[in-house]
Amino acid sequence: MNITMSGRAGKVALILMGTAMLLGVTACSTGNTETRQVVEKGGQKITVLDNTSESVYTKLKLAGIDKVEGVRGLDFASEDTIVVDKENRSLPPQTIEGQERYPHNLYLRTLSSGNDTPLQEGDKNYGAAQFSPDKKQLFYRELYDATGIGYLMNLAAGTSVKVSDAEFRNEEGIWTDNEHVIFPDMEGNIISAGINGSQDTMLKTGIPYVHEVSRSGSRLLYVTGEDSQLTAYDTDTKQSKALRKNVIWAVPSPDGSRLAIVERKGPGEMVLLLCDSEGNEQSRVASGQQIYGTSWSPDGSKLAYVTTAASAADNQDGLFITEVETGEQTPVLNDIEVADQLRWSPSGKKLLASISVLKDNAYQFITYIVRLS
């Protein structure tokens, strides 16, 4: 499949906020004094948030939070550029279940100008995109419902190759280096696909539903079974080892020395654990009814995640950033549920979060860019 990038510029302007907000380590209350400025440019409303509340948790410094409506931010290409999924209203809509719907396509959004450059347009839906570590390739999906067909795009050439002829679940798939992605197929095999079109079966688990597949060094990590067992398979020794049960997500740290594990403790009760590489618990980071989007900062010093509180009296609700070594915790956004994994910019000074909200009987995406100073 050949895809050519075009250079049409969008008309959306993103207003960056200049006021810095310092979070105090000695504050004794969290009075929420959020202010906001709404501007309209190019037909789109953009909100700049200035949360002046003080944190009881940490001395982490936030420079501001930018909110952009109508786009689903997916990953950082650079400090000033992200890939977004948004409706392509230049194409005719399709009527689905009695509603007109426009195809969702992929664009590069320049944050400082608001300009969009098309990456993949057409009458099909495209999304679930993530950049390779060197930011030269893009892994994305042609989306159906819960599944899709995966592609790897060379950004310089604007051409793409399929990772497989078969569909796999949209939430699966991750880069293992600058040239390969891994994902589980629908038969329980873990596949490696390369930017040159190569496909290799790394492991046949023999279990139909394999999920949360990742790689850390020579080991493949994956979750299977009704007991949600986390298993590590060593590609060098060809040996498997069961690490933990009741695992919802397991995210390796950048250096592979630790695992951030979301574990189900009971009905409506999850915990985010910091574990060593063998799954042994070192500390408990957070708890809640749900925990989403767990993501390590590039240097491995911070964890970002979103929790849904188990009760109205619980203040553990929203987007948080935790310093791994000290356990110091910063609340960033209240009362949100993210649609995708949280993504850090290459420098670790920005964090991307996308949510969906119901508006006018349809779901609309909103993207937040959290800026750390």
Side-chain angles (χ1 to χ4, degrees):
M1 180 177 179
N2 242 1
I3 299 169
T4 302
M5 295 168 60
S6 63
R8 278 201 318 253
K11 296 182 179 180
V12 179
L14 180 63
I15 307 301
L16 296 179
M17 181 180 67
T19 304
M21 184 269 289
L22 301 181
L23 297 182
V25 68
T26 60
C28 58
S29 67
T30 58
N32 192 357
T33 57
E34 179 186 273
T35 61
R36 65 182 64 203
Q37 175 188 9
V38 179
V39 297
E40 186 168 353
K41 199 161 186 176
Q44 184 170 2
K45 290 183 178 180
I46 299 168
T47 305
V48 180
L49 304 179
D50 180 12
N51 189 337
T52 59
S53 63
E54 289 187 295
S55 168
V56 299
Y57 300 96
T58 89
K59 55 189 177 184
L60 184 70
K61 299 178 182 179
L62 299 183
I65 304 170
D66 303 319
K67 173 185 175 183
V68 184
E69 298 184 3
V71 300
R72 182 178 189 170
L74 299 171
D75 197 8
F76 281 96
S78 67
E79 294 300 308
D80 193 42
T81 311
I82 62 175
V83 59
V84 301
D85 156 356
K86 72 172 186 176
E87 290 182 334
N88 185 347
R89 289 184 170 260
S90 68
L91 297 177
Q94 298 178 355
T95 301
I96 301 174
E97 298 178 351
Q99 290 187 332
E100 287 191 343
R101 297 182 184 178
Y102 292 90
H104 280 250
N105 292 170
L106 292 171
Y107 301 83
L108 277 180
R109 164 69 59 95
T110 301
L111 296 175
S112 57
S113 68
N115 291 338
D116 290 332
T117 302
L119 283 175
Q120 172 62 341
E121 293 185 304
D123 57 4
K124 297 179 180 178
N125 291 316
Y126 299 98
Q130 56 180 285
F131 290 104
S132 58
D134 64 4
K135 309 298 182 181
K136 295 180 179 180
Q137 310 285 333
L138 184 71
F139 179 30
Y140 68 98
R141 261 52 68 94
E142 178 184 324
L143 303 172
Y144 304 131
D145 288 322
T147 62
I149 297 291
Y151 293 90
L152 299 178
M153 178 188 289
N154 182 307
L155 294 170
T159 56
S160 295
V161 296
K162 279 185 179 181
V163 303
S164 172
D165 290 325
E167 300 174 32
F168 59 96
R169 287 175 292 276
N170 293 328
E171 70 273 14
E172 295 293 341
I174 190 170
W175 288 94
T176 58
D177 55 32
N178 291 324
E179 298 183 351
H180 299 88
V181 296
I182 57 171
F183 59 93
D185 66 15
M186 305 299 279
E187 284 74 47
N189 304 312
I190 298 178
I191 309 297
S192 173
I195 60 176
N196 61 356
S198 64
Q199 298 175 21
D200 177 46
T201 300
M202 301 190 72
L203 178 63
K204 295 182 178 181
T205 68
I207 303 172
Y209 183 38
V210 176
H211 54 108
E212 315 314 321
V213 173
S214 62
R215 182 165 188 168
S216 181
S218 64
R219 301 198 308 172
L220 300 177
L221 301 172
Y222 58 94
V223 176
T224 56
E226 294 183 358
D227 58 357
S228 299
Q229 178 175 287
L230 174 64
T231 299
Y233 172 77
D234 194 306
T235 57
D236 291 336
T237 66
K238 312 301 181 185
Q239 299 296 312
S240 295
K241 180 180 180 181
L243 301 184
R244 294 184 76 93
K245 293 183 178 180
N246 302 313
V247 172
I248 308 300
W249 293 285
V251 186
S253 63
D255 66 359
S257 65
R258 289 173 169 175
L259 296 172
I261 292 178
V262 176
E263 188 173 282
R264 187 182 301 279
K265 287 297 185 181
E269 183 184 2
M270 293 187 185
V271 293
L272 173 57
L273 305 174
L274 185 64
C275 301
D276 64 18
S277 61
E278 299 302 311
N280 300 306
E281 181 178 342
Q282 295 178 330
S283 63
R284 180 174 295 197
V285 179
S287 62
Q289 187 175 42
Q290 297 284 346
I291 300 177
Y292 304 98
T294 307
S295 182
W296 292 89
S297 62
D299 64 0
S301 67
K302 301 176 183 66
L303 273 174
Y305 51 91
V306 173
T307 65
T308 301
S311 67
D314 192 346
N315 64 356
Q316 294 291 300
D317 192 19
L319 170 59
F320 293 84
I321 298 174
T322 289
E323 297 279 354
V324 173
E325 294 302 328
T326 65
E328 293 180 331
Q329 185 184 66
T330 299
V332 179
L333 285 167
N334 295 328
D335 194 25
I336 69 165
E337 293 184 12
V338 292
D340 306 290
Q341 184 180 8
L342 300 166
R343 298 287 181 182
W344 294 85
S345 68
S347 71
K349 292 186 176 180
K350 292 181 179 179
L351 184 67
L352 183 155
S354 293
I355 68 169
S356 62
V357 295
L358 187 62
K359 183 178 181 181
D360 300 328
N361 295 320
Y363 281 97
Q364 173 183 298
F365 283 101
I366 298 173
T367 295
Y368 291 98
I369 305 293
V370 178
R371 292 178 281 115
L372 307 179
S373 60

